[in-house]
Structure formats: C-alpha cells, structure tokens
Amino acid sequence: MRDKKIFIYAEDDCGKVNSAYFELLSKACEINKTIEAQDGAPAELCAVAVGAAGEEAMKSLVDSGADVVYNIKGSKLDVYNPSVFSEALTQLCKAEVPYIFLFGSTAQGTEIAPTLGVKLHTGVAAHCVDLRIDGEGAFVQDVPAFGGKVIGEIITPDTLPQIATVKPGLFQVTKLPSKAAKIVSFQPILDEVESGGIVLKEVHIKKRNSLPVDKAEVIICGGFGMGCDENWELLEKVANYFEKSAVGCTRPALDEDWAVDEGTMIGTSGKTVRPKLYIGAGISGAMHHVCGISDSDFIISINKDENAEIFKTSDLKIVGDAVRILTALEKRLSKE
Amino acid sequence: MNIGVLVKPVPDPEQYNTITIDPQTKRLNREGVPSIVNPADKCAIEEALRLKEKFGGKVVVFGMAPPDGREKLLECLAMGADEAVLVSDRAFGGADTLATSYTLVKALEKKAAEGGSFDLILAGNESADGATGHVPAQVGEQIGYNHLSGIVKIESGSESEPSTLTVFQKYENGKNEFTIKLPAVIGVSRDINKPRYTSAMGVIKAKKKPFDIYDTINLEHDKERIGLAGSPTKAGAIFSPDTRRKSEELSGSPEEIAEELVKRIKATGAVIVSGGGCHER
Ligand SMILES: Cc1cc2nc3c(=O)[nH]c(=O)nc-3n(C[C@H](O)[C@H](O)[C@H](O)COP(=O)(O)OP(=O)(O)OC[C@H]3O[C@@H](n4cnc5c(N)ncnc54)[C@H](O)[C@@H]3O)c2cc1C
Ligand SMILES: Nc1ncnc2c1ncn2[C@@H]1O[C@H](COP(=O)(O)O)[C@@H](O)[C@H]1O
C-alpha cells in the first residue's frame, strides 16, 4: 500500500513554477528509492500549488514526474498572502497527512514552512543541504550551521509532516518521465481567516541586465579587497569577455555599494552557484561565502595574502594584487 | 509605540573558520570564539530606536541565552534600548526553533502583562550561527500577531502613531511591498540600516536600566513545550564539509599569469567572446 506522501510546494514564479520545485522533486525521487526498498512501495510524490495556478504552470506540474498535483483554490488565494496560504496548506495537511513536506528556501518558503511548523506542531529543518532516508527509515535532514562550517543532522522522529526547506540551486534537476499526474482540487474553508492583516500591495520586479548569478556559467566575483568603485568596474569588463557570465559579490562589497544588486551576493544569505568557472578576487574565504561556491566546477582565486582561506578551496591560486592581475587578464582577453 | 526586540548572542561570525569538530568526541570546539550580539539583531534594535524617536514609547530587548548573555543585553541597553529581559534557565536549553519561540512568547507575554503590551516585535531575520530564520515567524504565529520576515525597509508614515506599517520584503525577483497591521512581528534583514555606535555615556547609563531575569520559576510555562522535550526536531551527528581543493599556484608577472590563465580558463569550457562585447549576458 502506498501510504506515504511527499508534498512539494510548487511556488508560483510569475505564472511559471519556481525552479526550486523541480530540484526538490528530483531529490524526492531519489529518496523515494530508499522508501520503496524499505517499505515495499514508494511514496506518492505530490506537487502542491496554491492559488489560481495558470494553465502553463498546471501543465508543467502534471508532466513533471509527480503522481498527484494538489490544486488549492479559494477566493482569498488569488494574491500571495502568507497567513492565508499557511492556513490553506495546514488544512490540506490535516486532511492528507503528508509524511514529508518540502519547500524551497525562498522568501515564501521561509515564511510558510515555519508557520506550518507551529500550526501543525511539528519540526522544520531549515536550508537543508542534503536529505536522505537512513538505514532505520528515518528522514535525515542535513542543516548548515556557523555559515556552513558545520553540518548537523536533524530528524523529526515523532511528528508529521517532517518539514524541510532547501536552498534553491543546491540539488540538480534530473528530467523525470511524465506520469500524467492526477489533479486533485482542494477547497479550504477560509471564511473565518482574516486576510486584511497582511496585504501585498505591489511587487517591484528588479530588472537585471545580466544573467542571475545562479544561472551563469562563468562568475567573476569580487570581495572587499577590490577596494573601490572604479576597481569594481574591472569585474564587469572581464565578465563581458564571457558568454553566460555574471558578476557576483560578497557581503562587504554589497555594504560598500560597489555591487548594487543584492541578488548577486553569493553565500549563506545569498545565492548558491555552480558555474563552470568561478573567479574570485579580493575575497578572504569566509565559510559564509565559500559554502555558496563549493559546487563550482573550477575555482580560481586572486588574493594578496598568501595565507588567505579562500586558497584552500581553490583549484588555482594567484597571490597578488587583484587589480593588476585582472587588468592584465582583460588586456590578454582582448586579443582573443 | 512599545517595541520588543529579540536578540540572540552568537559566536562572532568573523571567526567561524576557526571552529572545528573534535575527532574523538564529535563535539563542536569553538574555544576562544567570543560572543557578539547577532548582527541582524543590532539592525532590529536600530530600527526600533528610530521608531521610538519618532513615536515615543519604549524598547525592550529579550534574549534567551545562558547567564553570560547578560553582557550582550547590556550592550543593547548601551546602544539605547530601555529595558532588558534575559530568559535563562538550564531547562530552556537544547530548544529547537519551535521551543525557543514558545519560550520567547511566554517572556513577551509576561513583560507585556507587567509593563504594557507590545505594538511591534522586531527580530533579526536570521541568526549567524543557527541561521534558520524561523524564530520571527514562529514567535508571530504563537503570539497570534501578523508576521513577515526578510524585511529590508519599514515605512511608518508621518505624525501620529500608525496602526499599519508599509514594509518591503526582499524576494527572488525583487521586492514585495506589503502593508501589515499592528501588532506584528517583523524579521529584518541586515540591509535595512546601519546600526549606530554606542557612546561612552550609553555604557554608563545601561547599568542603571531595568534588567529582568526570567527562569523556569518565575516564568509561567508548559514544561512539555520548552527545551529538548518541547522540540519536535532532534539533533544527530555533526560533521564539517570538506571543501578543500588542490590549490595549485600560478606565479610570474601579471602578464605571464594572464597568459596561463587564459589557457586554464578555456579548459573549463567557459566561452570567450572576442572583443569583450558580450552585453547580452
Ligand atoms: C549571518 C551571516 C550571513 C552571511 N552571509 C554571507 C553571504 O551570503 N555571502 C558573503 O559573501 N558573506 C556573508 N557573510 C559575511 C562573511 O562572514 C564575510 O564577512 C564575508 O564573506 C567577507 O567578504 P570578503 O571576503 O569580501 O571581505 P574580507 O573578509 O574583508 O576579505 C578581503 C580580502 O581581500 C584581500 N585583499 C585586500 N586587498 C587586496 C588586493 N588589492 N588584491 C587582492 N586581494 C586583496 C584581503 O587579503 C582579504 O583576504 C555573512 C555573515 C553573517 C554573520
Ligand atoms: N535564543 C534567542 N533569544 C532571542 N532571540 C532569538 C533567539 N533565537 C533567535 N532569536 C531571534 O530570531 C532571529 C532569527 O533567528 P533564527 O531563527 O535562529 O535564524 C534572531 O535574529 C533573533 O532576533
């Protein structure tokens, strides 16, 4: 009998399904192999969409490789409202009792998951870097602490669902064969729910003139050692020599306003990236940053301090002044 | 406007690279790493002080920590907060975010019953050590207030004390602009402001400000909901991820290095655009 259900939050991303859903589904599919081996039957993989999921989003969910798509509908669910969304999801969880509920650590996920934890009185593991079922059938969630320097295993032994959020960009998407998922409509009772406490007035979408760092194949990343605005432009110039490239930054570079787009910060409180090539200049290598780049294929670092921590995590190390090296590199690239 | 601010003492994040795991005991070794007030919580205090300057009222800081957390709360008083509550008892230890936020809610309720209810509770968006970011939402949910996290700007309008705030939340594609009715719990990101420096006068005044300590004796609570027993999540083994790479050194003049770099870069599969005109990145 298939009595276990794995729920995956299918967040709306401007009419499409947020990519975190597909990453989580791929992981859930992997976990499911262990569940099948241990229980004799796999868990049901369920996409959970709240609000008026459009046709395009519905189609991609049905074809995503999930078994079931829960479509939660209601008049108060047209616009994102964390308290109403959480209530709707709570009612679905009470009706269906999922075994595991996964969310991307997006702004929505990090608001809703802990709220559900309170409403359902269960555990929530935050920003997991890995998930697995161990030999005894426990759902083990690896959570980072101290900026990623330490990873701790977390289990939720006595309560359901076992809720986890996962940082987007960490799990790779495997294309799964479509199972033409069954669509189940769910209408929560929201008459009593106050929807005026929090109101989404406007969404200010930031226009970007380059690829988001988590989609880039080449990242030229600058840190506090870049020193000033003028030097920062050098990163842009070097990035311009590469296809599918982006300029990334560390926290101090953002604080100094050299980098203007918070979305380009890499690390614990920023993005997790996995480019083919990462070049870091003037970066010390704090774990808060390193944990966001450690899946890069190739890491080159430039730092004037030969003992900089970042070198330990680098394939190639260059001890020297970042401005001089990048200027020479730019000149050399111009001859290509 | 009465504002409660949640403050967590954390080991100094600048020194996390020195934290190790004892290979024998498998325990964390963070010897010599001093505690500081969690960076985002300082921003929460700063925001609270600005609101107080505008609308009057008081700012009360709450921290759940071992007894030495007292010093960190004194720092918050020196920065300008009016009162502090240290929630401290062995039995509160081992708490996950659900039990932590339950305990903080009990402390907030006790203080409110004694000194007037809170219109706003501010927290850092995330702690530097645990960094779950769950506590603001879970405090909000358990105390029954509206709550939002990831806030990078709070607008309070002008003149009279507001019943609603306009807040901006950082999200993946930009910013969400919400209105939120008070009372509310708001988790603020470090982008929201630059915390003020503490003056010498502030340090002197801090010692004379009201300072309460709540423990399991004077704080009414359900003992099934605090500490380890009140935590649905259990912690297992810890390990340190191995991020080491071969760290081969390139040396020479900048020109020589650049020459070699281009070769290495090509080997990664990165595609070079001639002329550097890749504006459609
Ligand atoms: C809760 C929390 C979350 C955080 N999240 C993030 C995050 O997501 N991302 C992030 O990046 N940080 C984050 N941080 C901050 C992080 O701890 C570090 O402070 C930060 O990564 C350091 O950035 P940096 O390397 O640019 O600066 P620094 O540590 O100041 O290093 C500058 C480096 O530049 C070198 N240098 C100086 N001049 C030159 C020169 N001319 N040429 C070459 N090298 C030079 C120096 O030797 C030094 O190593 C977080 C911190 C906290 C507390
Ligand atoms: N033990 C605690 N005492 C007081 N405030 C806390 C405590 N733990 C967390 N907080 C608050 O909740 C925020 C988020 O913490 P966390 O959920 O641990 O990332 C922190 O920035 C604090 O404002």
Side-chain angles (χ1 to χ4, degrees):
Chain A
M1 214 202 65
R2 301 178 72 167
D3 53 357
K4 283 180 183 161
K5 292 186 169 77
I6 300 179
F7 277 19
I8 303 168
Y9 186 57
E11 183 175 331
D12 170 72
D13 184 359
C14 304
K16 292 205 172 79
V17 178
N18 189 299
S19 54
Y21 166 80
F22 299 97
E23 296 167 17
L24 295 170
L25 182 69
S26 301
K27 192 67 185 186
C29 202
E30 193 185 308
I31 292 172
N32 216 3
K33 289 187 188 126
T34 320
I35 295 182
E36 184 170 11
Q38 291 177 348
D39 296 7
E44 229 174 19
L45 302 179
C46 313
V48 180
V50 187
E55 231 170 277
E56 190 189 342
M58 256 345 225
K59 188 172 179 328
S60 70
L61 290 176
V62 167
D63 290 337
S64 64
D67 299 296
V68 176
V69 178
Y70 287 102
N71 191 9
I72 309 185
K73 292 190 286 197
S75 59
K76 289 182 177 171
L77 297 169
D78 292 342
V79 179
Y80 173 58
N81 180 321
S83 59
V84 186
F85 272 39
S86 304
E87 177 55 30
L89 287 164
T90 301
Q91 292 183 20
L92 178 69
C93 287
K94 286 187 174 157
E96 301 289 332
V97 198
Y99 185 61
I100 291 170
F101 201 156
L102 305 176
F103 290 83
S105 302
T106 56
Q108 278 195 27
T110 49
E111 191 78 52
I112 295 173
T115 306
L116 274 190
V118 172
K119 285 173 174 282
L120 297 164
H121 198 88
T122 186
V124 189
H127 314 299
C128 298
V129 294
D130 204 5
L131 304 169
R132 66 186 160 277
I133 306 281
D134 74 6
E136 271 119 57
F139 177 49
V140 180
Q141 305 150 89
D142 284 348
V143 299
F146 303 104
K149 177 74 184 173
V150 173
I151 308 284
E153 293 179 347
I154 296 279
I155 55 167
T156 303
D158 306 316
T159 53
L160 293 180
Q162 307 169 80
I163 304 176
T165 70
V166 175
K167 201 135 187 239
L170 222 62
F171 296 157
Q172 256 163 334
V173 177
T174 28
K175 186 97 189 75
L176 304 171
S178 168
K179 294 188 199 159
K182 182 172 82 174
I183 300 178
V184 178
S185 290
F186 181 80
Q187 230 148 358
I189 300 160
L190 300 170
D191 308 342
E192 307 273 289
V193 181
E194 225 264 278
S195 57
I198 297 173
V199 181
L200 179 59
K201 290 289 184 187
E202 208 173 328
V203 178
H204 305 269
I205 293 182
K206 186 150 197 159
K207 282 208 189 71
R208 297 211 158 84
N209 44 16
S210 71
L211 272 181
V213 279
D214 48 347
K215 303 272 182 318
E217 289 184 1
V218 175
I219 294 175
I220 314 297
C221 191
F224 189 62
M226 287 307 291
C228 64
D229 256 331
E230 259 180 311
N231 292 346
W232 195 262
E233 275 172 32
L234 201 49
L235 302 170
E236 293 284 351
K237 283 191 195 150
V238 171
N240 271 335
Y241 280 98
F242 296 99
E243 252 176 39
K244 302 207 175 127
S245 62
V247 172
C249 71
T250 61
R251 173 98 236 171
L254 197 64
D255 290 342
E256 295 295 327
D257 283 335
W258 302 333
V260 283
D261 180 356
E262 316 91 8
T264 62
M265 184 170 82
I266 298 171
T268 322
S269 27
K271 297 272 161 55
T272 302
V273 298
R274 43 168 79 247
K276 285 182 184 159
L277 170 66
Y278 164 99
I279 302 181
I283 294 172
S284 61
M287 208 54 208
H288 285 116
H289 181 70
V290 168
C291 69
I293 63 168
S294 56
D295 282 335
S296 306
D297 289 346
F298 201 77
I299 297 178
I300 302 176
S301 304
I302 310 166
N303 196 304
K304 68 174 186 190
D305 172 8
E306 63 174 327
N307 297 317
E309 283 285 325
I310 189 78
F311 287 144
K312 293 187 190 151
T313 353
S314 306
D315 296 286
L316 265 190
K317 91 180 219 192
I318 298 162
V319 181
D321 178 50
V323 176
R324 288 184 64 198
I325 305 288
L326 289 174
T327 307
L329 178 63
E330 197 218 337
K331 216 166 142 205
R332 176 61 189 77
L333 284 168
S334 72
K335 300 198 182 107
E336 281 295 308
Chain B
M1 190 183 275
N2 282 350
I3 307 174
V5 184
L6 308 180
V7 173
K8 186 182 183 189
V10 296
D12 184 354
E14 292 300 322
Q15 300 189 30
Y16 287 174
N17 281 358
T18 65
I19 292 176
T20 53
I21 294 171
D22 187 305
Q24 245 88 58
T25 62
K26 304 279 179 219
R27 293 253 184 90
L28 210 59
N29 178 9
R30 47 187 236 210
E31 215 169 297
V33 181
S35 281
I36 62 162
V37 174
N38 182 47
D41 303 358
K42 277 203 151 173
C43 299
I45 298 172
E46 176 63 38
E47 205 60 24
L49 294 174
R50 290 183 193 183
L51 287 166
K52 181 192 146 176
E53 280 154 14
K54 207 159 156 190
F55 301 113
K58 62 176 178 181
V59 174
V60 185
V61 289
F62 291 81
M64 179 173 118
D68 59 4
R70 181 186 169 85
E71 259 174 70
K72 297 301 125 191
L73 290 183
L74 279 171
E75 276 178 41
C76 303
L77 293 176
M79 202 178 146
D82 301 293
E83 297 176 33
V85 176
L86 175 65
V87 188
S88 192
D89 195 304
R90 248 169 209 271
F92 294 139
D96 69 1
T97 61
L98 193 64
T100 299
S101 43
Y102 169 79
T103 312
L104 287 168
V105 166
K106 287 290 139 190
L108 284 157
E109 286 172 349
K110 177 174 161 76
K111 189 74 190 172
E114 290 161 2
S117 62
F118 293 102
D119 306 293
L120 180 62
I121 295 162
L122 292 175
N125 198 52
E126 57 182 16
S127 57
D129 52 355
T132 70
H134 288 171
V135 170
Q138 296 197 319
V139 164
E141 197 59 32
Q142 295 191 71
I143 204 167
Y145 293 0
N146 296 312
H147 55 87
L148 281 173
S149 299
I151 300 304
V152 291
K153 191 167 154 199
I154 298 178
E155 284 175 356
S156 53
S158 55
E159 312 310 328
S160 65
E161 214 176 295
S163 58
T164 300
L165 298 174
T166 297
V167 296
F168 293 78
Q169 176 189 59
K170 187 156 80 172
Y171 96 110
E172 292 63 39
N173 296 327
K175 292 191 176 76
N176 286 322
E177 179 181 340
F178 290 100
T179 55
I180 182 166
K181 266 195 203 149
L182 302 181
V185 181
I186 294 177
V188 305
S189 150
R190 282 166 68 192
D191 306 318
I192 199 166
N193 60 39
K194 296 230 187 320
R196 67 193 60 186
Y197 290 108
T198 302
S199 67
M201 199 54 203
V203 177
I204 296 166
K205 279 191 190 157
K207 293 184 187 128
K208 300 200 184 81
K209 291 181 176 174
F211 197 114
D212 291 333
I213 297 177
Y214 292 174
D215 55 22
T216 48
I217 296 166
N218 64 12
L219 184 65
E220 193 192 313
H221 67 281
D222 173 352
K223 70 176 188 306
E224 301 297 314
R225 298 192 60 185
I226 60 161
L228 215 50
S231 302
T233 63
K234 307 289 174 216
I238 54 171
F239 55 94
S240 218
D242 189 358
T243 55
R244 276 172 306 176
R245 297 196 181 210
K246 59 180 185 291
S247 196
E248 181 193 347
E249 183 165 354
L250 280 193
S251 50
S253 69
E255 291 69 31
E256 286 162 352
I257 289 175
E259 190 62 39
E260 180 64 19
L261 260 184
V262 170
K263 263 188 232 153
R264 302 298 190 100
I265 286 170
K266 283 181 181 165
T268 67
V271 182
I272 299 175
V273 184
S274 78
C278 194
H279 295 301
E280 225 189 331
R281 294 185 341 229

